[in-house]
Amino acid sequence: MNNVVAQLQRQFHDYLVSLYQQGFLDNQFSELRKLQDDGTPDFVAEVVSLFFEDCSKLINTMSRSLERPENVDFKQVDSGVHQLKGSSSSVGARRVKNVCISFKECCDVQNREGCIRCLQQVDYEYKMLKTKLQDLFNLEQQILQAGGTIPQVDIN
Amino acid sequence: MSLFHVVEFCLKIGQLFWMLCCWLVSWLIDDKSPLPVGSVGDPDKTKMKKNHHHHNKMCFFWNKISTSGFKIPTFSLHPVRFGKNWWKKVVVAWVVLWVLISFWTFCYFSSQAMDKRKETLASMCDERARMLQDQFNVSMNHVQAMSILISTFHHAKFPSAIDQRTFSEYTDRTSFERPLTSGVAYAVRVLHSERKEFERQQGWIIRRMDSFEQKPVHKDEYNIEALEPSPVQKEYAPVIFAQDTVSHVISLDMLSGKEDRENVLRARKSGKGVLTAPFPLIKTNRLGVILTFAVYKRDLPSNATPKERIEATNGYLGGVFDIESLVENLLQQLASKQTILVNVYDTTNHSEPISMYGSDVSADGLEHVSPLNFGDPFRKHEMRCRFKQKPPWPVLTMVTSFCILVIALLIAHIFHATMSRIQRVEEDCHKMKLLKKKAEAADVAKSQFLATVSHEIRTPMNGVLGMLHMLMDTELDVTQQDYVRTAQASGKALVSLINEVLDQAKIESGKLELEEVRFDLRGILDDVLSLFSGKSQEKGLELAVYISDHVPEMLIGDPGRFRQILTNLMGNSIKFTEKGHIFVTVHLVEELLDSSDVETSTSTENTLSGLPVADRQRSWQKFKSFSSSGHRSFALAPSEINLIVSVEDTGVGIPVEAQSRIFTPFMQVGPSISRTHGGTGIGLSISKCLVGLMKGEIGFSSIPKVGSTFTFTAVFANGMHSSERKSELHNNNQPILSEFKGMKAVLVDHKPARGQVSRYHFQRLGIRVEIVSGVEQALRFTTTVNIILIEQEVWSKEADVFIKKLQKDPLVHSPKLFLLANSIDTSISDSLRNIIDPPVLIVKPLRASMLAATLQRGLGIGNSETSQQKGPPALILRNLLLGRKILIVDDNNVNLRVAAGALKKYGADVVCAESGVKAISLLKPPHEFDACFMDIQMPEMDGFEATRRIRDMEEEMNERNKTGESLTVEESNRTRWHLPVLAMTADVIQATHEECLKCGMDGYVSKPFEAEQLYREVSRFFSSPSDTES
């Protein structure tokens, strides 16, 4: 039994580290994890799901704005990107954040093509992250169910 | 005449001089054409130099010549070269010239004197001759007059009017008129036919004279009767009248005497006065001359023939001149008869002149001959005069010429000495230059060699050390390990020595460059201190550091080299100090200059260990930047920090005689030093070079047996440019400090200087320290302070008092007791054992990290908390935020959630608002919130606008409060509404920050939250719970 936990824990650890290494996540995510304690056991999951909800919402809005080739409401797109950027950096979704930065640049110069491309990328990235984190949370659940504790992962 | 002489003299000198000059120059030129080149190396250069040199000399010479106003017709000076020793010839020529001149002067002046002497002699002689001649003429004239008298009264009258008696009477009475004659006599001409008649008439016979002339007799024995009668002659001339003085000649036949006869015959032939050669007079036997005049029967015409004259002759008048007495008389009449010697000669017979007067002295020396004319053309006389004395030595002339010579020789000597000196100096200088070049080359070679060799040695040494290290990891027995360790230690020592040498070489060859890195000065000093702490504790020395608060936390420079300097200086101090203290101070130069007056007043008691020290100020007295004229001369750029660092010790000091070579490489105070203390003596030299590279200066003052103080300055760039950075550093480097913030301590130390330093270290940790001098005073603070610090010395003296007091009145919340000690002394630990709650020992040197650790251990905080991963700020933050009601405003759900989570974690009561409008409604006073975190970029209403609105509302409320319209008691409690509003923003641009402040925000935190930043901002508004409780 213990063996299973240890294996799961190692798996969890490796997976998390790979996420960091592949650049999906950054330090802020670990900060976020630090904020989770006994009082708020699902803090990270909560925040992350909030983030993903936001993402899908915002991406929808922005894609609608960018749909019509003429008369694009860049202002609206910009505020969306800003929101997205803010949340992504808060969560520590590094790749999303990086795309947001270039997205914002395209937006500033009112480059619709670029914006659409970035939008697609953001969509792709956040979905990617979503599945990854989903896996991570599943692993977490498994560990907890196996009666183990979630190991501290130090990236530095 | 004299003017003429002077002119002539000048011309002569000029000519002589000019000839000599020409001769000299031509000699020099001729001689010098083959130039002897003395130097071996670089002959072209030396030649050129020499040419130049000689040209100068030539010009000088030429000037001299041309200024003298002469022209040299055949002289070409251009290609002339002089040898090295041209001046020696000049000296010789000069000496020769002046010897000649002085000799010539001597001759000239003596000839001058001789001429004058001759002239004097001539004039005197001539004068005498003329007088003699005049007087003789007067006498002669008178004798002639007497002849006329006789012809008138004897022959013309018959019977004769004159007889012997009248004649003698008359002549006696008129003898004054003939001063030169001693007697006069008259002889009458008697023919043989008339002899008988005459003899009868006169009553005596004519006697001949020559017989007694041949055998002169004395006057007394003279007997006229004994004379023979004159033999038969054709005629006779017997004397008939005679003056009494010569009366013995009466009846003598004048013609019978040889001299007289000639005289008589000549007289009657010429009709003039005739003189005899000088002969010894009869009777007196003195030299005399007889003057004879003929008396004629009638007056004969002047052109009468001799025959007629003989015919007409009646008789002969003769006068006897006594020349000797005459001249004698004459000379007596004249002055200065002493000075000259007069001789009178009859020179009728030229070959053998007859001396008439004067002693016959050998005729050397000066003589003047004056001719005498006594009116007898047949006879010639002359007067010869000589000076009685030899001419005096020409002292003046001799002295003059001698002086000239001496002066000339002196000048020559001076010239010679000067020139030889110059030559010697030039030679020396040349030698020195060569030596200097050699030395410099050697120095460069040495540095090069050192650099190369050091580097070459280092490489294999690293191999050796590495291998040793690996060897240590293998399985060795104890002895082997010991060997290896020793080998490694030796190797390391060797490498460090080589590094030092390499440094020196690098610096000397100018290859060393300093780094420009940001570093923490205090950290470096702490490091260095810990390096030496072991040794200082071992020796029981007090080791302390004080860094002025004006020195910035971070500097830009080369920390390694700075450290090296400090290590060198402190290493020396530790080495040479057996008791007392070593005290390192760091100040800004400006600070010291401003307070220099205060610094000087440090008395002996005011030092760290109470021992006297060398005056620190004297160590930097010689610094250029400190000189009074340039008091503010070091115009530093505002970002530059000029530090002055002093290392003060109470060691043996540096002997005065060694102080000058302290900074010379490889120079130690004495050979014994290296034996007792080791070291290469290169450290200070390197330090000096390094300080130089840091644009600073190094100096020291040292009193033997008292101690030394080394001081150096160094210029660094300020590493703190903005407050933002500063805060960052705070967080990164000194997390430990915050733990103790707000604590209070009392320090018991009777030495204010030491107390100050200790206090400085505790204040770095944020602990407020009061210094008291005694334990009694300290006990008053027991209720208000967290820590009591006691200096070891005080403790050992007053421990009992303290313990008693504590035992009597044990305090539940008694502050923790700490002892400050230089070393872990057994006696102290013994004394501590007796106490229930033993004080914690803090072993000096004090440094931040060690101090913090000890305090943590002692106070029982630290350990539990530091083990938590969140770090110390988290703890404080929790204290600060616990129970605070905080509003977070953000339109982004995720951000809101994260921020809330973060703040909740620290125990805050968090309320969330999604928009600015909602926030305003929540913050409408009165409300319960302690703080608000506001996102800036929000749709509808951004953070700035929201904050402005909030501030407006607060202002309104405050106005109402002021006017007394407060509604509830609770409201009036909060006399003034001002909610801390902190911006949350992702971009940390300065402009945003400023805008935040402008619209009434109190600060900002960057998203995402970081504990340290959050803490820093929050702590500005919330005082710690402990403060509020108390």
Side-chain angles (χ1 to χ4, degrees):
Chain A
M1 197 65 184
N2 229 350
N3 230 348
V4 179
V5 173
Q7 204 186 340
L8 280 172
Q9 277 178 340
R10 192 177 308 132
Q11 206 182 336
F12 174 81
H13 177 267
D14 292 345
Y15 191 66
L16 190 53
V17 168
S18 75
L19 286 182
Y20 281 115
Q21 280 170 352
Q22 286 163 33
F24 284 106
L25 297 172
D26 63 16
N27 208 27
Q28 186 57 30
F29 188 75
S30 48
E31 289 287 323
L32 209 62
R33 279 170 54 80
K34 279 182 196 165
L35 291 178
Q36 179 172 304
D37 55 13
D38 299 342
T40 54
D42 297 328
F43 180 70
V44 177
E46 224 175 284
V47 172
V48 168
S49 61
L50 251 174
F51 169 63
F52 290 136
E53 272 170 37
D54 262 19
C55 280
S56 63
K57 235 193 284 171
L58 286 166
I59 287 170
N60 272 335
T61 332
M62 284 188 286
S63 63
R64 246 179 284 128
S65 304
L66 290 166
E67 251 171 26
R68 284 158 301 189
E70 76 286 347
N71 197 14
V72 178
D73 186 359
F74 277 107
K75 204 172 177 185
Q76 205 184 347
V77 177
D78 187 63
S79 90
V81 174
H82 179 75
Q83 283 259 6
L84 205 56
K85 199 185 115 202
S87 359
S88 59
S89 68
S90 276
V91 173
R94 188 171 162 198
R95 282 195 183 187
V96 180
K97 192 180 86 185
N98 288 344
V99 178
C100 280
I101 289 166
S102 45
F103 195 170
K104 198 161 163 52
E105 277 166 14
C106 292
C107 214
D108 285 343
V109 294
Q110 310 214 329
N111 178 358
R112 184 170 163 265
E113 302 292 310
C115 284
I116 289 170
R117 207 170 50 243
C118 285
L119 186 68
Q120 283 164 355
Q121 215 177 334
V122 164
D123 191 43
Y124 168 77
E125 289 292 349
Y126 106 82
K127 275 169 184 162
M128 187 87 147
L129 183 66
K130 196 174 176 180
T131 49
K132 299 262 177 192
L133 286 180
Q134 203 62 56
D135 290 348
L136 191 75
F137 290 142
N138 285 341
L139 266 175
E140 242 179 42
Q141 287 302 316
Q142 281 172 19
I143 294 171
L144 287 173
Q145 275 168 11
T149 53
I150 297 151
Q152 292 287 340
V153 181
D154 202 353
I155 319 303
N156 309 317
Chain B
M1 177 98 167
S2 62
L3 187 70
F4 176 75
H5 264 101
V6 168
V7 171
E8 192 190 271
F9 177 60
C10 290
L11 278 175
K12 268 182 186 170
I13 286 183
Q15 191 196 8
L16 196 64
F17 187 76
W18 183 237
M19 272 169 62
L20 268 164
C21 283
C22 291
W23 167 71
L24 183 71
V25 169
S26 63
W27 173 53
L28 285 171
I29 290 163
D30 288 347
D31 201 68
K32 279 307 120 194
S33 33
L35 177 78
V37 180
S39 59
V40 184
D42 212 353
D44 286 342
K45 213 173 170 183
T46 42
K47 241 184 227 173
M48 255 164 60
K49 249 186 212 168
K50 266 177 195 162
N51 273 342
H52 184 68
H53 186 68
H54 300 144
H55 187 68
N56 281 346
K57 298 283 175 193
M58 227 31 245
C59 285
F60 167 71
F61 204 72
W62 176 245
N63 283 341
K64 217 174 157 187
I65 292 168
S66 53
T67 44
S68 65
F70 289 91
K71 294 248 179 219
I72 312 175
T74 55
F75 232 111
S76 87
L77 291 166
H78 310 293
V80 184
R81 288 172 178 175
F82 286 85
K84 236 180 191 172
N85 293 326
W86 60 272
W87 53 271
K88 278 185 182 164
K89 309 231 163 182
V90 170
V91 170
V92 171
W94 171 268
V95 169
V96 168
L97 168 74
W98 281 98
V99 166
L100 288 176
I101 286 178
S102 70
F103 182 70
W104 177 84
T105 315
F106 176 75
C107 292
Y108 179 79
F109 279 110
S110 21
S111 75
Q112 200 86 332
M114 191 67 86
D115 282 353
K116 191 150 185 228
R117 200 171 148 82
K118 225 182 247 173
E119 229 169 83
T120 320
L121 185 66
S123 71
M124 281 167 87
C125 201
D126 285 342
E127 191 188 358
R128 275 155 184 72
R130 204 165 47 246
M131 278 180 70
L132 185 65
Q133 199 176 304
D134 284 351
Q135 289 203 6
F136 191 85
N137 282 342
V138 168
S139 304
M140 202 170 67
N141 287 344
H142 206 265
V143 172
Q144 195 170 5
M146 203 175 283
S147 72
I148 290 162
L149 179 91
I150 286 178
S151 78
T152 313
F153 291 100
H154 182 65
H155 294 291
K157 288 250 187 281
F158 197 83
S160 168
I162 300 172
D163 60 358
Q164 166 58 26
R165 209 175 44 83
T166 35
F167 184 82
S168 69
E169 207 169 312
Y170 174 76
T171 50
D172 268 347
R173 288 174 63 181
T174 57
S175 69
F176 67 90
E177 285 187 289
R178 310 175 301 273
L180 298 181
T181 56
S182 53
V184 193
Y186 180 68
V188 76
R189 186 188 184 191
V190 179
L191 296 171
H192 187 68
S193 52
E194 298 161 351
R195 179 174 175 174
K196 292 275 192 242
E197 176 61 28
F198 178 77
E199 280 179 345
R200 194 186 42 82
Q201 236 173 31
Q202 292 294 331
W204 39 258
I205 56 165
I206 300 168
R207 297 170 213 269
R208 58 176 282 189
M209 201 161 92
D210 40 354
S211 62
F212 82 91
E213 270 180 10
Q214 280 158 4
K215 49 165 190 181
V217 287
H218 288 288
K219 197 183 169 181
D220 302 337
E221 293 162 31
Y222 182 73
N223 190 2
I224 201 156
E225 303 301 326
L227 291 173
E228 288 172 31
S230 178
V232 177
Q233 301 277 332
K234 203 173 143 193
E235 59 179 323
Y236 307 93
V239 176
I240 51 171
F241 305 133
Q243 203 177 340
D244 279 349
T245 48
V246 289
S247 57
H248 54 273
V249 296
I250 292 174
S251 83
L252 286 182
D253 180 8
M254 283 299 135
L255 287 175
S256 62
K258 189 185 161 229
E259 288 288 327
D260 293 316
R261 182 185 170 82
E262 261 173 49
N263 235 18
V264 168
L265 295 180
R266 263 193 318 124
R268 73 179 183 197
K269 219 185 277 176
S270 64
K272 286 178 184 166
V274 168
L275 285 171
T276 62
F279 63 94
L281 293 177
I282 307 163
K283 216 172 149 193
T284 58
N285 209 19
R286 295 172 71 157
L287 267 180
V289 177
I290 293 175
L291 175 71
T292 312
F293 273 103
V295 179
Y296 299 105
K297 289 172 188 154
R298 57 182 189 278
D299 210 7
L300 287 168
S302 56
N303 57 352
T305 59
K307 201 178 176 182
E308 282 172 343
R309 285 183 190 276
I310 294 168
E311 295 280 310
T313 302
N314 237 353
Y316 322 98
L317 186 71
V320 180
F321 288 82
D322 185 347
I323 299 289
E324 261 175 78
S325 57
L326 277 180
V327 179
E328 208 89 44
N329 282 342
L330 179 78
L331 291 182
Q332 263 162 10
Q333 290 168 24
L334 286 168
S336 70
K337 75 164 185 156
Q338 310 295 336
T339 53
I340 61 172
L341 212 59
V342 177
N343 280 337
V344 182
Y345 289 97
D346 184 326
T347 54
T348 313
N349 185 353
H350 241 295
S351 56
E352 36 186 302
I354 304 152
S355 173
M356 293 161 72
Y357 173 76
S359 55
D360 209 6
V361 192
S362 57
D364 61 334
L366 199 58
E367 196 182 52
H368 184 78
V369 180
S370 301
L372 289 172
N373 183 13
F374 291 142
D376 182 357
F378 181 72
R379 298 232 163 248
K380 286 196 178 91
H381 298 89
E382 60 186 29
M383 182 181 269
R384 293 182 188 178
C385 302
R386 267 174 309 171
F387 279 105
K388 259 185 192 155
Q389 282 97 13
K390 290 252 172 183
W393 282 99
V395 177
L396 187 68
T397 317
M398 275 160 62
V399 167
T400 310
S401 57
F402 184 71
C403 285
I404 288 172
L405 194 62
V406 164
I407 288 166
L409 285 176
L410 277 176
I411 289 169
H413 175 75
I414 290 166
F415 182 69
H416 179 267
T418 312
M419 287 312 289
S420 54
R421 187 65 176 272
I422 286 171
Q423 199 178 27
R424 209 160 51 230
V425 168
E426 270 174 0
E427 271 167 19
D428 284 359
C429 186
H430 187 64
K431 240 184 263 168
M432 295 289 169
K433 269 181 194 162
L434 279 178
L435 284 177
K436 190 181 161 233
K437 237 180 244 169
K438 260 189 215 165
E440 278 168 358
D443 199 43
V444 169
K446 184 205 79 187
S447 295
Q448 210 102 49
F449 173 76
L450 276 179
T452 318
V453 165
S454 307
H455 193 260
E456 290 305 313
I457 293 174
R458 229 153 49 132
T459 320
M461 268 320 284
N462 282 337
V464 170
L465 284 177
M467 287 301 116
L468 282 173
H469 191 74
M470 284 169 80
L471 187 62
M472 289 248 290
D473 291 344
T474 58
E475 279 189 21
L476 301 169
D477 64 28
V478 182
T479 329
Q480 282 171 331
Q481 264 189 356
D482 187 42
Y483 290 164
V484 174
R485 216 171 285 129
T486 313
Q488 203 176 22
S490 312
K492 274 179 186 162
L494 181 57
V495 167
S496 72
L497 169 61
I498 290 168
N499 284 345
E500 278 189 349
V501 172
L502 193 60
D503 275 348
Q504 175 78 24
K506 256 192 200 163
I507 293 166
E508 274 177 11
S509 53
K511 277 180 197 155
L512 190 85
E513 276 174 18
L514 293 183
E515 285 180 10
E516 291 286 326
V517 186
R518 266 156 58 100
F519 69 97
D520 177 19
L521 181 76
R522 288 166 176 82
I524 296 249
L525 277 162
D526 282 348
D527 279 0
V528 177
L529 226 58
S530 23
L531 197 67
F532 290 109
S533 60
K535 264 187 193 165
S536 73
Q537 281 164 13
E538 211 172 278
K539 287 187 166 182
L541 299 176
E542 177 115 28
L543 185 61
V545 169
Y546 176 79
I547 302 175
S548 155
D549 291 335
H550 300 277
V551 178
E553 296 278 337
M554 294 303 272
L555 297 170
I556 296 176
D558 194 330
R561 299 300 177 183
F562 182 74
R563 200 188 147 115
Q564 197 179 351
I565 300 169
L566 263 181
T567 314
N568 273 330
L569 295 181
M570 285 181 70
N572 277 341
S573 292
I574 288 260
K575 228 188 262 176
F576 297 113
T577 308
E578 296 303 327
K579 63 174 194 330
H581 69 267
I582 293 154
F583 184 29
V584 183
T585 52
V586 183
H587 289 274
L588 295 184
V589 168
E590 291 89 333
E591 220 182 313
L592 269 198
L593 284 178
D594 291 343
S595 64
S596 55
D597 302 333
V598 185
E599 288 292 324
T600 49
S601 65
T602 30
S603 59
T604 14
E605 293 84 45
N606 214 3
T607 62
L608 212 54
S609 63
L611 292 170
V613 293
D615 186 4
R616 182 149 62 111
Q617 209 172 15
R618 276 183 44 209
S619 65
W620 41 263
Q621 248 169 8
K622 282 178 195 154
F623 287 7
K624 278 175 215 137
S625 52
F626 283 57
S627 58
S628 55
S629 60
H631 187 259
R632 286 284 171 193
S633 65
F634 46 88
L636 291 172
S639 66
E640 287 198 324
I641 304 291
N642 200 352
L643 289 185
I644 178 161
V645 184
S646 289
V647 179
E648 170 190 291
D649 68 50
T650 55
V652 292
I654 303 161
V656 179
E657 67 271 14
Q659 290 191 357
S660 58
R661 55 169 197 267
I662 272 296
F663 292 115
T664 323
F666 305 110
M667 280 285 189
Q668 289 185 323
V669 166
S672 60
I673 290 293
S674 60
R675 244 176 281 133
T676 48
H677 299 282
T680 52
I682 204 173
L684 280 176
S685 150
I686 292 177
S687 300
K688 188 183 167 73
C689 294
L690 290 175
V691 167
L693 286 174
M694 290 180 186
K695 289 181 263 175
E697 289 164 280
I698 190 165
F700 67 96
S701 79
S702 180
I703 306 167
K705 305 250 163 29
V706 170
S708 318
T709 302
F710 280 80
T711 301
F712 69 92
T713 61
V715 178
F716 292 102
N718 193 346
M720 329 257 321
H721 287 300
S722 63
S723 58
E724 172 225 329
R725 223 183 231 175
K726 184 174 180 174
S727 49
E728 220 170 84
L729 292 166
H730 253 298
N731 296 329
N732 293 341
N733 290 318
Q734 296 171 316
I736 35 165
L737 303 192
S738 40
E739 271 179 286
F740 306 101
K741 196 142 195 163
M743 286 188 173
K744 288 181 197 157
V746 61
L747 172 67
V748 188
D749 191 346
H750 59 277
K751 282 181 192 159
R754 183 169 55 188
Q756 292 287 340
V757 174
S758 303
R759 178 160 76 174
Y760 153 74
H761 283 282
F762 284 101
Q763 274 172 348
R764 278 178 70 191
L765 296 179
I767 302 170
R768 259 181 287 153
V769 179
E770 290 281 337
I771 302 178
V772 295
S773 58
V775 171
E776 289 296 336
Q777 289 158 280
L779 290 174
R780 280 189 279 125
F781 288 92
T782 43
T783 49
T784 51
V785 299
N786 310 76
I787 305 167
I788 295 181
L789 303 157
I790 301 180
E791 196 52 58
Q792 178 197 346
E793 283 176 54
V794 181
W795 177 257
S796 49
K797 266 189 278 178
E798 302 185 58
D800 299 341
V801 183
F802 205 82
I803 293 162
K804 263 181 215 162
K805 168 88 183 171
L806 280 182
Q807 279 168 346
K808 201 169 69 185
D809 185 17
L811 296 161
V812 185
H813 291 290
S814 70
K816 191 69 192 165
L817 205 58
F818 288 89
L819 274 189
L820 297 174
N822 283 329
S823 55
I824 304 162
D825 205 336
T826 45
S827 67
I828 292 183
S829 29
D830 285 347
S831 72
L832 295 185
R833 214 165 288 158
N834 305 335
I835 312 167
I836 311 137
D837 186 14
V840 179
L841 208 59
I842 300 178
V843 181
K844 289 182 185 177
L846 300 176
R847 11 187 233 287
S849 53
M850 184 274 304
L851 200 58
T854 318
L855 285 179
Q856 274 173 358
R857 204 176 61 234
L859 290 172
I861 50 168
N863 280 357
S864 59
E865 309 211 354
T866 39
S867 65
Q868 282 184 8
Q869 297 213 330
K870 272 131 199 173
L875 174 79
I876 313 279
L877 210 51
R878 197 181 179 83
N879 284 346
L880 287 177
L881 292 180
L882 190 67
R884 303 282 183 189
K885 197 170 177 189
I886 293 173
L887 180 68
I888 301 179
V889 189
D890 198 334
D891 64 318
N892 189 321
N893 259 333
V894 180
N895 285 351
L896 202 60
R897 196 73 191 81
V898 172
L903 288 174
K904 267 179 190 161
K905 179 151 186 61
Y906 299 121
D909 182 5
V910 182
V911 177
C912 298
E914 292 84 26
S915 71
V917 185
K918 195 180 172 192
I920 290 166
S921 68
L922 280 171
L923 289 176
K924 192 173 165 67
H927 58 75
E928 293 286 306
F929 291 102
D930 292 307
C932 172
F933 287 80
M934 179 90 70
D935 185 29
I936 285 177
Q937 216 172 21
M938 288 184 295
E940 293 166 50
M941 186 187 286
D942 66 8
F944 298 132
E945 181 58 31
T947 312
R948 260 190 295 264
R949 296 257 180 106
I950 292 165
R951 291 284 175 246
D952 286 348
M953 289 192 306
E954 285 176 344
E955 194 60 33
E956 204 183 318
M957 195 66 194
N958 287 339
E959 284 296 313
R960 284 228 304 267
N961 272 355
K962 231 183 243 173
T963 50
E965 292 176 46
S966 50
L967 300 171
T968 61
V969 185
E970 192 195 351
E971 275 173 42
S972 57
N973 278 350
R974 298 177 86 158
T975 45
R976 193 178 152 71
W977 288 95
H978 183 92
L979 182 73
V981 179
L982 298 168
M984 291 193 295
T985 173
D987 43 343
V988 279
I989 309 161
Q990 193 70 18
T992 320
H993 183 204
E994 274 166 16
E995 210 179 331
C996 289
L997 297 178
K998 211 160 55 186
C999 65
M1001 289 179 172
D1002 298 281
Y1004 74 96
V1005 290
S1006 62
K1007 280 191 297 189
F1009 282 0
E1010 282 168 12
E1012 282 85 11
Q1013 198 192 3
L1014 193 61
Y1015 160 70
R1016 200 179 64 236
E1017 289 297 325
V1018 169
S1019 63
R1020 280 166 45 194
F1021 310 107
F1022 303 146
S1023 46
S1024 67
S1026 59
D1027 281 3
T1028 42
E1029 277 162 24
S1030 67

